[in-house]
Amino acid sequence: MAKADKKKKRLIIRTIVLLLLVSVVIYAVAFKDKVKVLAVGDMAPDFELVDLEGNKHRLSDYKGQGVFLNFWGTWCGPCKKEMPHMEKLHKEFEGKDVQILALTIKDPPLKVKAFRDQYELTFPIAIDKTEVVKEAYNISPLPTTFLINDKGKIQKIIKWAMSEEEIRSHMESIQPK
Amino acid sequence: MSKIKCQCGHENPFGTVLCERCGRPQTEEAKASQLVDMRYEGSARRSQTYNRSIVDRIWNFFSSVKIGISIIIAVLVTSAIGTAFPQKLYVPATTEVELAAYYERLYWLFGTAYYKLGFHDMYNSWWFITLIGMLGISIIIASVDRVIPLYKSLKRQRTKRHPSFMKKQRIYGEGPTEKPDVSLGKAEEKLKKLRYNVKTEDGALLAEKNRFSRWGPYVNHTGLIIFFIGILLRGIPGFYVDETMWLLEGDTKAVPGATGYYLESKKFTMETYTKDEAGEVFGEALDRVGMIAKNYQTDVALYKDKEGALPGSGDQEFVKDYSIIVNDPLNFDGFNVFQMDYRQDEDLKSMTFQLMEKSTEKSLGEFTVNLVDPEQNYEIAEGASVVLSDYYPDFDGMENGEPKSKSSIPNNPAFIFKMITPEKPKGEMSFVAIQQTLETEENAYKVKFVSAEMRDKSGFVVRKDKTLYILLLGGIIFMIGVIQGSYWNHRRIWIQKGLDNELLIAGHTNKNWFSLKKELDKVQDFADLPAYEDRQDKESNLEIKEGEQS
């Protein structure tokens, strides 16, 4: 009896030790370079930026609403193409608890204002002067759009310019039920 | 899997070579051999005994020293191959396609194979990490499997061993003495003087010293494992940061990897040695080489988001001013910011223009455009002003008749100016780029470029390494293990009474047999012990005999 007990104990100990060691190795392999990158399902990092009109926008103030967070640049061709669609849908979804926030990185304010006037944009536009939000969201290509749901979680990351239909369906997807 | 019962009555685990208690050989092989293998004290290595379930098989796989050595060789070979061509980090390519092309262009087929197999980014490849992981597992399991039985058998060892155990030791001697009890007593006295721990039992004596030296390899392995843990921790957020950062003079930017901190560059300075201070000796060198750098320095200010302030809110507090020079980084909150690189006079800061009447070439005045954050209106003189209608920081030709900028960095600025003068109060439009002026219709006035102001750019590396102390601890323990195992030797001497007036002596050490024999000689002289021989070193035995004769 004692021998069987000992054998069982040994098997359990060995299994636990092996599982532990192997899972450490798997962890090391799986997470070798994915640490920094923001992924779908993560909480969207909070920030506070001042828009061109001087209004403060905190991401956390929009809890309970969907946020269409768009990173763009005045010089970026594809961004220009999706701006009019965004403007149109902004008007449509404003009352439906979906908010557009457009952030440019290090653009001269003069250019951004000119751009806004040219395209008659009414949604809030802010300049991320210190690149702190860009850093937090790990932005590389422009445009990049983060769809943030009413709980503040990232629902989708889109790294290209979208058509009106695409934007509409995405905005519907983050509309609170 | 039954136990092995020795003649002395002790029950040994299956796989035992030498009885844990009395030392009698238990296997046929050990009985037949001249000398016994004292590795792990002849104890049963558990790894080699049970081989039933899958778990046991995996366990035994990692417990094998042969497998361990094979893994080390595999790591060595792959590491060697990894140095054949440059690693990804040192290749001037950003996309995967460029990388593949680079290796193919320079190293043909070998380069392509190198790239395809992942050697170009070896330290991040799954197979290299797996290999290192297997090495870690092997070290842990092999050590555990050996250190526990070794510890047990050294702890359980009896003073009185069976003569068959003594006879199979490398150092062995037997012979009659006049007074065995006196000899034993004297031997004990002498051995104690030689700093041995002496135990006696029933006409037998065991003298032992430096047993801790046997733990050296396991201490060493513990250090190695701690080292591996340190490296693993680098992958966990908050433990390790290694980022690069470019910062222009006058700019304030978020520090990558250090959320909530901002760095402002106030000034970049590069100094070179002048001939005066170099003196005679180095003056020549200066003539030969040209410029020799003396100092690279960036004067910075560090800011931090206030308690509770969100990133981007601009609600910051000043932390400190610092002059970062090479090897003197800015320190804050576990981070180090190093001066690593610079670009001088490559980045435009502002441009100064003249508003000029074309016919007379008479200037109405100058104005300066800040290229990073330009103003809209420039008052020049009474009734004369310039309006910046549009601005293209990085002008890249025309597209559908409209000027285009390819980034927001002022690499190639172009402007559309509206010139308002007393003669032309409605304004004239002019497109001004570097070396180029376009007008829609003939203008009376023009904007003429006067000068440009540049600013320097500093390249920093932002580093934080909380694992450094873990690596240091691992390294220290590693070295302690090496020292413990190599500078001390575990020596044992057994002496016991045989039949009649005979005495048996035997000795064992894990290394450095010469010193053991030297000590044994001292005891032998003092206590009148029988002669012994080293049965693996016939030559030295011969020397001793020759020495005795002369």
Side-chain angles (χ1 to χ4, degrees), chain B residues 160-201:
Chain B
K160 186 167 189 175
R161 292 296 181 107
H162 192 261
S164 62
F165 172 83
M166 309 262 295
K167 268 178 198 157
K168 284 181 193 291
Q169 293 300 317
R170 180 170 153 183
I171 294 218
Y172 179 71
E174 57 178 34
T177 20
E178 280 172 27
K179 292 166 188 154
D181 287 316
V182 177
S183 286
L184 264 178
K186 277 189 147 183
E188 185 180 347
E189 191 192 327
K190 185 68 183 172
L191 282 163
K192 275 185 177 158
K193 252 189 203 155
L194 292 168
R195 293 170 196 273
Y196 278 84
N197 293 318
V198 184
K199 285 194 289 183
T200 53
E201 179 197 346

Side-chain angles (χ1 to χ4, degrees), chain B residues 11 13 29 82 95 101 177 215 227 321 460 484:
Chain B
E11 280 198 346
E29 200 189 336
T95 65
T177 20
W215 315 130
F227 197 91
D321 279 320
F460 299 121
Q484 187 179 340

